[in-house]
Amino acid sequence: MKNKLNHLSIGKILLLVSVLIITVSLLVSNLITFWRFSDTSNEMVEETSSEITSQILLNYNNYTDNVIDIAHFLELEILLNTEQDQMDTLEAIFQNAETVDSNVLSISLFSKAGDAVVSTIDPPYLNDSIAGDAWFNRTFEEANMFHFTPPSIDVLDTNSTKRVIHMTKTVNFYDDDALKSGALTMALSMDNFESMAHGANLGEHGHIVFIDEHGEVVYATNDCNDDTCESAEYANAMNETSGRTTIEDVDMFVSNNTLNHTRWQMVTFFDESPTRAIQQTVLITVMVVLSLSILFASLLSWAASRRITKPLNKLKEHMLTFEENTFLEPLTIEGQQEVVVLSETFNKMSEEIKRLVDRVYREQRAKRKNQFIALQNQINPHFLYNTLDSILYLSEQQKNDDVKQMVASLSKFFRLSISTESGVVALSEELKHVESYLAIQRIRYQNTFEYTINCDASLKTFNVLKLSLQPLVENAINHGIDPDTSNNQINIHIYKDNTFLYASVTNSGYGLSPAQIKDIMAMIAKDIETPGKIGLANVYQRLKLHFGVSSDIIIESEMDQTTTITLKMPLKGND
Amino acid sequence: MKIFLLMLIVFMITACSSNQSENIPLIVYDAQDEYIQDFAQQINDNAGEQYSVDIYDSQNSQVKQNSIVDQVLNEDPKAIIINMVDRVGAYPIIERAKEKDIPLLFINREPLKRDLKRYDKAFYIGSDAHQSAQMQADMVMDHFKNLADGETVKTAILMGQQGHQDAEIRTSHVIEVLENSAFPLQLVDIKVANFSQSDAYEQTLSMIDEHETIELIISNNDAMAIGAIDALIELGKMSPYVEDETIDIEQDPWLPVIGVDALPISHQYLKSNHYYGTVLQDSSTMANAISEMVSLFIEGKSLNTYSYEVTDGHYVWIDYQEFCIENE
């Protein structure tokens, strides 16, 4: 992976790094923003909920405080008025107290035995059989505190069908100068209690559930009628004053508080689904903005990295072409300062190289030409010497015809040699040249050998090196002809395959061993001048100079049979 | 080097935490209440080296108090000292403390017995207001022991805040005891003076105006008793106060005023015989009982070694003491 990264192009690295930086920073900043928003909105829900809850509690506390204040006032009035047997006054006070607070429906003082001492309820409707009732008895079990019954149909006023809360407390009163314990009971209207609960702004699905100390539902603003409803179950399981839950798939922030004096817990369920929805919308928006930003930033950084790497790539392409081909137009690159300087330097360098290569080429060409001419010129003195030697010999032998033919052939031979400036002639010319030569040599060797020339007419137009076949024939005569026998044979064969033109000269004779062939090849390749073999090395050098490395001289031999020397010349560029 | 630094920091942290004394939260119902301020100070002074007391103010709001309780329960203290805003609303707090097994020491306002019984580590440390009422009644009966048959004692009561547990019990119980003891009590008035000296002064002035004769004033606390004495001096129902002099309760105009608390401000009237008697609310012993219980919980010891008697498994009652002129 590391290696892979190391081998990435500059453009990709730039792109990768910038996209990575942008992605990470955007992701981090966006997520932090979202978390902060989330936290803040949650806190706002909690704050709003607790403010509303506090307000509701305040209202309920006012509600209970008011009736408790009345009860306290009545408590003293009961004691003082009964002490002085002013029962009518006390009843009047009860009546007044009842009218003062609209929440109070009736006020009664009962003896411990359950007999009404004073009551604002009309006597015919007053329930006088409450002695055994649990709520009544509980008043005396825990004295000096207010007891609140769950809402129910008024049990004291048989004429009333209203749902009420009964508040009771033990009080002392005088009954015929004897101090007795009794119960002050007040029936409280549910109207305000309910409207306070329903008036609370707790959101669409928000609601309030009142539960007593046993977990039973006392009152609920939704359809929660017993402790098996979702809200009551959650409220009973709460072990903190606030928490979050879902009630019927709606997100709720729940506050649990005791209602002063009542021993009831008021559990408010604040509907925070709108906040959740906003949070979700914000999250989606953040993600969309994030994706778009990353996309946009990626495109920008891709463009930027391309701007940087484009001239570099152009330069790279240019350099690659330069590797294959020296001859290039100067490169003009627009872009960063560094790349421009680099390309200018490269231009200067390639121009310099081009200039040097041209010079070397020209020098090499001149040198080759000189060498070529020199090599070509080497041929002539040998042959001239040998031929003149033969002519001398023939003259001594008085063989005038032969001399005549020989001189004619020689004349023809030299005319061919000097006929062209270039070192290349058509094969037909070279073959004529070889035939002239063979004619000279046959006379010289007194017809002790026969020769054949086997060449397809179509091949005669191919160019060969001037004086390249003749040294091979010369070689064959020098080494292959046994003057003591007359059945010496020299065969010239011209043929071709797809890529090469071959010219082979075969002579009969002793033949050459592979070691000898190897030695000869080594000598001609090194251009070592060996007496008698000067021609072969000369041809080899010229062949390589003219046709290049693919051209060659091949020596094959069958001991005591034949020796064949073949020139191998590429067809390419040869017509 | 880095590892060394890290180890140093870890060492410092552990060293700090091991030296740190326990923090015990004390949640008061209202830090504005002067009695609570004094009492909290006494608890703090008793804490000494072993622990420090963190005082939280519920600002007389049960909502506020509930959230403070949530907060301190999460800090897992060794114990919580709490003064309820609404004494009958203690049960949810008791349930939450029980769940976390954190001892609760209720002070000043007594939770319901059935609530305390929910949790074996919930205690109420305080004084039984009935006892103070009983002692006041005893003092009254002692003073009026030589009454002739048919004679009644015209009595007025100065009451603290209505709804205040101590005021309610002291008021109702002193009447109950006197009536049950066949004391010829003639209750002429009960005035609510909110434990305040100036309220009691005003209420006494109007009370004397309303009723021709008042032979006894029973007050729920010292402050109101002193207010009443000041009003009586003002109206000439008592001789003026002169420093280092005593009045003759037989010869000079005088009527018995009885209170509760035995605060230092009451001592001069007790010495000068203006103030008949009061009942000592022994808050220093109470603070001591609280401190000792907190210490036992911090040390993880059982209450077997506790110096105070635990009644019913949940109550530590600190006795009131009679504090009369003779006591001086």
Side-chain angles (χ1 to χ4, degrees):
Chain A
M1 186 63 194
K2 203 183 169 188
N3 276 341
K4 221 171 172 182
L5 277 180
N6 283 342
H7 291 127
L8 284 176
S9 69
I10 294 174
K12 278 178 185 161
I13 285 170
L14 282 176
L15 186 66
L16 201 71
V17 168
S18 49
V19 167
L20 208 68
I21 290 169
I22 290 159
T23 308
V24 168
S25 52
L26 279 178
L27 204 68
V28 167
S29 63
N30 273 299
L31 285 182
I32 286 173
T33 309
F34 177 69
W35 280 327
R36 279 197 59 95
F37 170 76
S38 239
D39 276 359
T40 313
S41 54
N42 282 345
E43 277 166 22
M44 274 171 63
V45 165
E46 285 163 30
E47 244 167 64
T48 312
S49 168
S50 84
E51 264 170 35
I52 292 172
T53 304
S54 299
Q55 190 54 50
I56 303 168
L57 274 176
L58 201 67
N59 293 341
Y60 277 107
N61 287 344
N62 284 339
Y63 174 88
T64 50
D65 284 351
N66 281 340
V67 290
I68 282 170
D69 278 350
I70 294 170
H72 281 142
F73 164 74
L74 295 176
E75 199 180 344
L76 295 183
E77 293 299 330
I78 289 166
L79 195 59
L80 293 169
N81 284 294
T82 54
E83 210 263 349
Q84 289 155 26
D85 280 327
Q86 299 169 337
M87 301 310 266
D88 291 343
T89 316
L90 187 61
E91 195 175 334
I93 290 169
F94 275 25
Q95 296 285 2
N96 281 338
E98 190 194 291
T99 51
V100 164
D101 191 330
S102 62
N103 293 318
V104 181
L105 296 178
S106 70
I107 304 170
S108 311
L109 171 65
F110 289 93
S111 71
K112 201 170 180 178
D115 301 322
V117 180
V118 180
S119 177
T120 60
I121 302 167
D122 288 341
Y125 304 116
L126 180 62
N127 181 359
D128 54 2
S129 57
I130 55 167
D133 289 3
W135 64 273
F136 186 71
N137 290 344
R138 201 177 300 127
T139 313
F140 298 97
E141 283 162 20
E142 276 166 331
N144 285 313
M145 68 170 275
F146 288 94
H147 294 263
F148 291 80
T149 66
S152 66
I153 298 294
D154 195 339
V155 292
L156 292 176
D157 189 350
T158 54
N159 192 34
S160 169
T161 52
K162 291 186 99 171
R163 284 171 67 79
V164 295
I165 295 168
H166 290 295
M167 186 182 83
T168 65
K169 186 182 184 284
T170 51
V171 290
N172 286 329
F173 70 100
Y174 284 95
D175 184 12
D176 289 339
D177 287 338
L179 187 72
K180 288 192 174 169
S181 182
L184 172 67
T185 71
M186 292 166 78
L188 307 178
S189 161
M190 282 298 288
D191 295 348
N192 279 339
F193 188 97
E194 287 180 7
S195 68
M196 279 190 282
H198 286 279
N201 182 18
L202 294 168
E204 195 187 346
H205 299 282
H207 55 276
I208 305 179
V209 176
F210 294 87
I211 54 175
D212 68 12
E213 60 196 291
H214 309 293
E216 302 287 340
V217 174
V218 174
Y219 179 74
T221 59
N222 66 347
D223 54 4
C224 180
N225 295 317
D226 55 39
D227 59 354
T228 59
C229 82
E230 234 182 303
S231 305
E233 276 184 356
Y234 179 77
N236 282 319
M238 279 180 93
N239 55 6
E240 283 207 313
T241 53
S242 63
R244 287 193 148 84
T245 185
T246 52
I247 301 294
E248 283 161 3
D249 299 326
V250 180
D251 291 312
M252 297 283 183
F253 178 76
V254 190
S255 304
N256 185 344
N257 284 287
T258 47
L259 217 55
N260 281 3
H261 307 294
T262 60
R263 294 178 66 72
W264 294 342
Q265 290 180 65
M266 185 185 81
V267 190
T268 48
F269 291 82
F270 185 86
D271 183 351
E272 61 173 348
S273 57
T275 313
R276 285 278 172 280
I278 291 170
Q279 281 172 353
Q280 238 162 41
T281 314
V282 168
L283 182 63
I284 290 166
T285 314
V286 162
M287 289 327 266
V288 167
V289 169
L290 183 67
S291 313
L292 286 177
S293 314
I294 289 171
L295 187 74
F296 187 64
S298 303
L299 283 172
L300 267 182
S301 59
W302 177 76
S305 78
R306 230 182 96 81
R307 226 181 99 76
I308 293 169
T309 55
K310 201 182 166 186
L312 277 177
N313 277 333
K314 203 170 159 191
L315 189 62
K316 186 192 82 182
E317 291 299 324
H318 191 73
M319 282 175 168
L320 282 175
T321 328
F322 180 74
E323 255 180 43
E324 292 165 1
N325 185 5
T326 340
F327 309 104
L328 283 178
E329 286 302 309
L331 179 68
T332 349
I333 286 180
E334 281 169 20
Q336 289 71 25
Q337 191 61 37
E338 294 87 341
V339 186
V340 170
V341 170
L342 195 64
S343 71
E344 279 170 3
T345 314
F346 177 76
N347 279 343
K348 274 183 197 157
M349 185 195 79
S350 67
E351 267 168 38
E352 185 66 24
I353 287 172
K354 193 174 151 189
R355 210 168 50 76
L356 284 171
V357 164
D358 281 352
R359 205 172 79 188
V360 167
Y361 178 75
R362 267 185 276 107
E363 281 173 1
Q364 206 61 31
R365 226 174 119 92
K367 193 177 163 194
R368 218 155 42 144
K369 198 173 179 182
N370 291 344
Q371 215 175 15
F372 194 84
I373 291 161
L375 285 170
Q376 203 174 315
N377 290 343
Q378 275 183 347
I379 304 286
N380 300 340
H382 282 270
F383 175 69
L384 193 58
Y385 163 75
N386 288 338
T387 309
L388 289 174
D389 195 39
S390 298
I391 292 170
L392 183 65
Y393 169 77
L394 287 171
S395 317
E396 280 168 1
Q397 298 291 315
Q398 302 295 315
K399 290 183 176 171
N400 289 339
D401 283 348
D402 285 347
V403 170
K404 195 171 116 192
Q405 196 192 341
M406 209 154 173
V407 173
S409 290
L410 188 62
S411 144
K412 204 173 178 180
F413 181 85
F414 275 106
R415 190 170 52 82
L416 272 171
S417 294
I418 58 172
S419 63
T420 60
E421 263 297 305
S422 77
V424 184
V425 291
L427 181 61
S428 55
E429 289 292 307
E430 183 64 12
L431 283 175
K432 276 184 197 165
H433 193 64
V434 166
E435 271 185 282
S436 306
Y437 177 73
L438 279 167
I440 294 165
Q441 294 297 59
R442 248 175 78 89
I443 296 165
R444 198 186 143 206
Y445 283 91
Q446 293 163 349
N447 299 323
T448 53
F449 68 90
E450 293 298 322
Y451 71 89
T452 61
I453 294 173
N454 182 5
C455 175
D456 197 274
S458 65
L459 300 177
K460 286 192 176 169
T461 55
F462 282 108
N463 285 332
V464 292
L465 286 178
K466 193 157 80 178
L467 299 178
S468 59
L469 211 48
Q470 181 268 329
L472 264 56
V473 175
E474 186 181 338
N475 203 54
I477 292 168
N478 288 346
H479 299 288
I481 304 301
D482 181 1
D484 302 330
T485 61
S486 58
N487 59 346
N488 294 304
Q489 191 69 34
I490 288 172
N491 300 319
I492 296 164
H493 186 206
I494 311 294
Y495 58 98
K496 75 172 181 80
D497 60 17
N498 286 334
T499 46
F500 291 101
L501 180 73
Y502 302 91
S504 67
V505 178
T506 308
N507 67 273
S508 54
Y510 315 117
L512 295 163
S513 69
Q516 282 174 309
I517 293 170
K518 208 178 158 192
D519 284 346
I520 293 164
M521 284 311 293
M523 279 187 288
I524 60 173
K526 283 177 186 163
D527 198 11
I528 296 167
E529 293 204 18
T530 319
K533 292 190 177 64
I534 183 162
L536 213 52
N538 179 293
V539 171
Y540 184 78
Q541 296 302 324
R542 282 161 55 211
L543 210 57
K544 290 282 180 189
L545 273 174
H546 190 269
F547 289 110
V549 286
S550 62
S551 58
D552 208 353
I553 289 180
I554 302 156
I555 304 174
E556 294 156 310
S557 184
E558 236 176 291
M559 290 301 284
D560 293 327
Q561 290 290 317
T562 56
T563 300
T564 306
I565 298 177
T566 310
L567 295 181
K568 180 182 167 195
M569 293 156 286
L571 287 174
K572 196 184 168 199
N574 189 345
D575 289 300
Chain B
M1 187 62 192
K2 271 184 186 168
I3 289 171
F4 174 73
L5 269 174
L6 202 72
M7 283 170 70
L8 195 73
I9 290 165
V10 168
F11 173 75
M12 282 168 71
I13 289 166
T14 48
C16 281
S17 59
S18 64
N19 282 341
Q20 193 79 21
S21 65
E22 291 289 334
N23 287 328
I24 300 298
L26 164 57
I27 308 168
V28 300
Y29 90 96
D30 190 353
Q32 302 292 318
D33 184 317
E34 283 179 31
Y35 174 74
I36 290 299
Q37 279 176 12
D38 288 346
F39 191 42
Q41 191 55 50
Q42 286 194 47
I43 294 169
N44 199 17
D45 293 346
N46 263 283
E49 293 287 302
Q50 196 177 17
Y51 62 94
S52 62
V53 175
D54 293 341
I55 298 175
Y56 296 85
D57 182 9
S58 309
Q59 295 163 18
N60 206 14
S61 153
Q62 191 58 55
V63 180
K64 177 95 182 155
Q65 186 165 57
N66 287 345
S67 66
I68 292 171
V69 170
D70 273 356
Q71 182 195 331
V72 299
L73 279 175
N74 284 332
E75 286 160 13
D76 283 321
K78 289 285 198 297
I80 296 173
I81 307 168
I82 181 165
N83 164 210
M84 291 298 298
V85 173
D86 176 27
R87 71 183 190 98
V88 302
Y91 70 96
I93 290 172
I94 291 172
E95 286 297 330
R96 282 168 206 156
K98 184 182 176 183
E99 211 155 284
K100 303 204 92 179
D101 197 31
I102 295 168
L104 279 179
L105 284 70
F106 289 95
I107 58 165
N108 188 248
R109 290 182 175 181
E110 180 192 340
L112 300 188
K113 191 171 192 169
R114 57 187 153 125
D115 289 344
L116 287 176
K117 288 210 174 294
R118 285 167 184 255
Y119 179 31
D120 60 358
K121 287 180 190 165
F123 301 93
Y124 176 68
I125 297 158
S127 298
D128 185 358
H130 291 91
Q131 195 188 22
S132 64
Q134 177 73 50
M135 286 177 168
Q136 282 187 320
D138 288 347
M139 279 191 272
V140 168
M141 289 186 284
D142 187 48
H143 182 74
F144 293 101
K145 59 192 170 211
N146 298 323
L147 286 175
D149 264 0
E151 234 182 312
T152 60
V153 178
K154 292 187 170 62
T155 306
I157 294 178
L158 287 171
M159 194 180 174
Q161 268 122 343
Q162 284 200 293
H164 188 291
Q165 197 189 4
D166 283 356
E168 300 261 322
I169 292 173
R170 282 172 191 167
T171 305
S172 64
H173 198 61
V174 76
I175 297 170
E176 282 162 17
V177 172
L178 289 172
E179 291 288 353
N180 292 343
S181 309
F183 181 81
L185 177 77
Q186 193 190 339
L187 197 60
V188 295
D189 211 347
I190 300 174
K191 291 283 186 199
V192 178
N194 300 320
F195 293 124
S196 147
Q197 187 174 336
S198 56
D199 281 14
Y201 175 81
E202 297 295 332
Q203 295 286 23
T204 307
L205 289 180
S206 70
M207 205 157 58
I208 300 293
D209 191 41
E210 282 172 42
H211 308 282
E212 279 182 21
T213 31
I214 288 171
E215 293 160 308
L216 167 67
I217 294 176
I218 300 171
S219 166
N220 282 171
N221 77 338
D222 276 348
M224 292 191 293
I226 289 162
I229 291 168
D230 288 341
L232 292 172
I233 293 170
E234 172 86 23
L235 293 168
K237 301 270 178 186
M238 267 195 203
S239 303
Y241 172 77
V242 181
E243 208 172 332
D244 293 332
E245 277 183 28
T246 56
I247 55 167
D248 186 343
I249 61 171
E250 303 293 338
Q251 300 298 321
D252 295 330
W254 182 80
L255 66 115
V257 177
I258 294 173
V260 182
D261 283 348
L263 296 178
I265 50 156
S266 66
H267 292 180
Q268 60 177 28
Y269 279 149
L270 285 167
K271 275 184 191 166
S272 67
N273 286 358
H274 283 84
Y275 196 7
Y276 177 69
T278 184
V279 176
L280 173 69
Q281 161 119 293
D282 194 354
S283 57
S284 73
T285 306
M286 209 183 285
N288 205 49
I290 293 162
S291 302
E292 192 182 327
M293 190 181 272
V294 168
S295 296
L296 287 174
F297 282 124
I298 289 172
E299 289 160 17
K301 289 181 185 163
S302 80
L303 290 178
N304 293 337
T305 56
Y306 191 44
S307 320
Y308 298 85
E309 190 195 344
V310 181
T311 313
D312 269 352
H314 295 281
Y315 294 94
V316 179
W317 294 119
I318 306 300
D319 284 339
Y320 284 100
Q321 288 159 26
E322 225 171 86
F323 201 89
C324 298
I325 303 164
E326 289 80 13
N327 285 34
E328 284 294 293

